[in-house]
Amino acid sequence: MAFFDNLALGFGVALTASHLLYCLLGVTLGSFIGVLPGLGPLVTISMLLPITFNLEPTSALIMLAGIYYGASYGGSTTAILVNLPGESSSVVTCLDGHAMAKQGRAGPALAIAALSSFFAGTVATALIALFAPPLAGWALSFGSPEYFSLMLVGLLTAAALAHGSMLKSMAMVVLGLVLGTIGTDVNSGLYRLTFGVPELSDGLSFVVIAMGMFGIAEIVANLEQGTAREVFTGKVRNLMPSRRDIADSWRAVLRGTGIGSFLGILPGAGTTISSFLAYAMEKRFARDPSRFGTGAIEGVAAPEAANNAAAQTAFIPTLTLGIPGSGTMALVLGALTIYGIDPGPRVMTSHPDLFWGLVVSMWIGNLMLVILNLPLIGIWVRMLRVPYRLLYPSIVVLCCVGVYTLAFSYLDVVFMAVSGVAGYVLVKLECEPAPLLLGFVLGPMMEENLRRSMVLSRGDPSIFVTQPISLGLLVFAAILLALLVVPAIRDKRAAAVSEGEH
């Protein structure tokens, strides 16, 4: 009964004229920028986050969520029509989606991407409504030791599931933790790592870091790839999929939704791993795996369903535990603190209108995406023909204006430029910046809970192993670390032996 009461509250909040407008604005902006190759949800939110700061929290979060899954959806349009992924999770959609477009079946590919995303979004919304309350109730029993251990697990999981070298991912987490300590120490009032710059006394703004590391760095990386694009120029016909298309893809949609819903909750897994795993599973279950890569509609349906499901279930640990599951969720978590809301299990009790309004608005926003994006395909095609050299200056200006309006400080723009250079260098070194952002956001909270725990125990560190939940989380973290380190050491030794033999 409480489930339906909560949904009724959510519909009452989400269906107000102002919240519908902000939801529509969010999904439209997200789709518009998400369609541009290389600018995924993380970059999109980094650029557009400052425009939400003057809104009341519920409207701001509804708009921010709309930008998030709108940009996630926009990446599929680029993948199918241009054969360039709008984001990393759309890479596998290129394989069969663009092949279908070249066969004259761009319409069914775009339609099945929209419908599978809507179905997955509906299921994910229901899962949030069902599982977030008990998870938040369980988290209410957490104290400082438990929160510290939980955040440690979150950071290790993010490092484990990030792309590339585990050592580099761990280094990014540590660098994020160090950057999070810049500023004034709350207890002693002393400056830390400010290097005599007074503007750093309040610490680095996570918006500045995010815009530089992801926005500016991504733009520079895209410029390196040139501007030549194979844009689908044919007229998109027959948008509605045939019965055969639906019969071939409905099982893939179900499996992709299940995979994405589960992996979206895990810190660091995110949409990319979900879409790749869903595609791999479909290829494994297929009667004729050779069809994949040549225009199999299951190769579009499964990753798009997994992508959207993961994008929405990632809100569960972010809102109920205060643990972001991805770099994008770290941005959302930082935005909540700016709005004056303390993310965690008390969000549902202290801000029920915000929580349930957001949950219902996700379903409404996914419905808006289906209604809006299919008729707008012609506009997206024309926009994709605009040379990137004409688009990136406006994107850079948007980033600079957004950062400057945070505190009307030119130094924020300078810090963003420095972060952009650092982000570009990290990309060239094959170091993924997302774990850095997670460490940057979680670092101050980890430090705060560590200090509270030590005060409660009068300096005795055994408090972390005498509390059952904290002990269980630390044991899990130790097992996870062992599973990461042991194979890496074994592979390194095997490589050294093989080199010695040669």
Side-chain angles (χ1 to χ4, degrees):
M1 194 65 182
F3 173 76
F4 294 104
D5 292 338
N6 292 330
L7 287 184
L9 172 62
F11 273 104
V13 174
L15 290 177
T16 60
S18 61
H19 291 154
L20 284 174
L21 176 63
Y22 286 120
C23 183
L24 176 62
L25 186 60
V27 297
T28 305
L29 284 173
S31 299
F32 177 77
I33 299 185
V35 164
L36 300 177
L39 300 181
L42 189 55
V43 181
T44 305
I45 291 182
S46 299
M47 292 189 300
L48 300 179
L49 186 58
I51 68 176
T52 67
F53 289 163
N54 293 325
L55 303 178
E56 60 96 13
T58 303
S59 299
L61 199 57
I62 286 175
M63 182 175 172
L64 210 58
I67 292 171
Y68 178 33
Y69 49 79
S72 298
Y73 175 83
S76 65
T77 304
T78 309
I80 293 169
L81 297 180
V82 193
N83 200 28
L84 284 174
E87 51 160 333
S88 57
S89 62
S90 299
V91 170
V92 291
T93 306
C94 293
L95 301 177
D96 289 281
H98 193 63
M100 291 180 66
K102 290 194 292 187
Q103 296 166 9
R105 303 190 67 229
L110 291 165
I112 210 70
L115 294 174
S116 59
S117 294
F118 174 69
F119 175 82
T122 302
V123 173
T125 300
L127 291 176
I128 295 173
L130 285 171
F131 292 107
L135 184 61
W138 174 65
L140 284 172
S141 61
F142 279 24
S144 298
E146 289 81 5
Y147 267 113
F148 174 82
S149 302
L150 180 64
M151 291 174 188
L152 181 62
V153 170
L155 290 178
L156 286 175
T157 308
L161 296 177
H163 302 293
S165 166
M166 182 273 298
L167 182 61
K168 291 180 179 178
S169 299
M170 291 294 293
M172 289 297 97
V173 169
V174 173
L175 180 58
L177 292 173
V178 172
L179 292 176
T181 63
I182 294 175
T184 306
D185 181 32
V186 177
N187 289 349
S188 66
L190 298 175
Y191 290 165
R192 301 187 299 186
L193 301 178
T194 59
F195 302 104
V197 180
E199 286 78 8
L200 289 177
S201 59
D202 292 330
L204 289 171
S205 168
F206 83 97
V207 179
V208 172
I209 295 291
M211 278 195 176
M213 288 279 183
F214 298 98
I216 302 299
E218 194 72 31
I219 290 168
V220 176
N222 287 338
L223 288 173
E224 277 192 339
Q225 299 172 6
T227 57
R229 299 177 191 167
E230 183 192 353
V231 180
F232 175 76
T233 55
K235 188 174 182 180
V236 178
R237 297 184 177 89
N238 303 322
L239 276 177
M240 292 310 296
S242 64
R243 291 184 179 179
R244 175 66 183 274
D245 291 332
I246 295 175
D248 287 343
S249 58
W250 70 270
R251 293 181 183 86
V253 172
L254 290 177
R255 285 190 285 264
T257 301
I259 292 171
S261 298
F262 173 72
L263 291 180
I265 300 173
L266 301 179
T271 56
T272 303
I273 292 177
S274 302
S275 59
F276 272 86
L277 185 59
Y279 186 86
M281 180 172 287
E282 289 311 307
K283 196 171 182 179
R284 183 178 182 86
F285 280 109
R287 294 179 181 177
D288 182 14
S290 63
R291 292 173 53 246
F292 283 78
T294 62
I297 198 165
E298 306 98 296
V300 176
E304 285 305 309
N307 172 18
N308 209 43
Q312 294 192 207
T313 54
F315 280 89
I316 294 178
T318 302
L319 293 177
T320 58
L321 301 176
I323 304 297
S326 64
T328 309
M329 287 296 102
L331 279 175
V332 173
L333 191 70
L336 284 173
T337 59
I338 292 176
Y339 304 148
I341 296 171
D342 186 18
R346 291 181 176 81
V347 167
M348 273 183 285
T349 55
S350 57
H351 303 280
D353 53 339
L354 180 146
F355 183 86
W356 294 108
L358 173 65
V359 170
V360 172
S361 76
M362 290 181 181
W363 181 81
I364 296 173
N366 276 280
L367 182 60
M368 287 179 176
L369 282 173
V370 175
I371 296 172
L372 280 175
N373 277 275
L374 294 180
L376 292 177
I377 286 172
I379 296 176
W380 301 146
V381 171
R382 286 192 290 272
M383 189 178 72
L384 287 168
R385 293 176 185 152
V386 178
Y388 192 70
R389 67 180 184 275
L390 302 179
L391 289 173
Y392 83 85
S394 58
I395 298 173
V396 172
V397 170
L398 180 64
C399 289
C400 292
V401 171
V403 165
Y404 182 75
T405 54
L406 293 175
F408 297 99
S409 171
Y410 76 93
L411 280 176
D412 283 342
V413 181
V414 174
F415 291 148
M416 181 190 70
V418 173
S419 299
V421 173
Y424 175 73
V425 172
L426 291 176
V427 169
K428 302 304 279 185
L429 294 175
E430 298 182 352
C431 296
E432 190 177 356
L436 182 149
L437 192 60
L438 287 172
F440 180 76
V441 172
L442 289 181
M445 291 188 283
M446 286 185 69
E447 181 184 12
E448 181 182 354
N449 283 289
L450 173 63
R451 286 183 166 181
R452 284 180 182 174
S453 301
M454 298 305 287
V455 168
L456 289 173
S457 66
R458 297 182 180 179
D460 184 5
S462 65
I463 189 174
F464 295 104
V465 295
T466 54
Q467 304 293 323
I469 297 177
S470 177
L471 176 61
L473 290 170
L474 289 177
V475 169
F476 178 76
I479 294 173
L480 181 61
L481 189 60
L483 291 175
L484 290 173
V485 172
V486 172
I489 295 175
R490 187 184 300 129
D491 293 342
K492 190 172 182 180
R493 286 180 176 175
V497 170
S498 62
E499 287 179 5
E501 291 175 352
H502 291 296

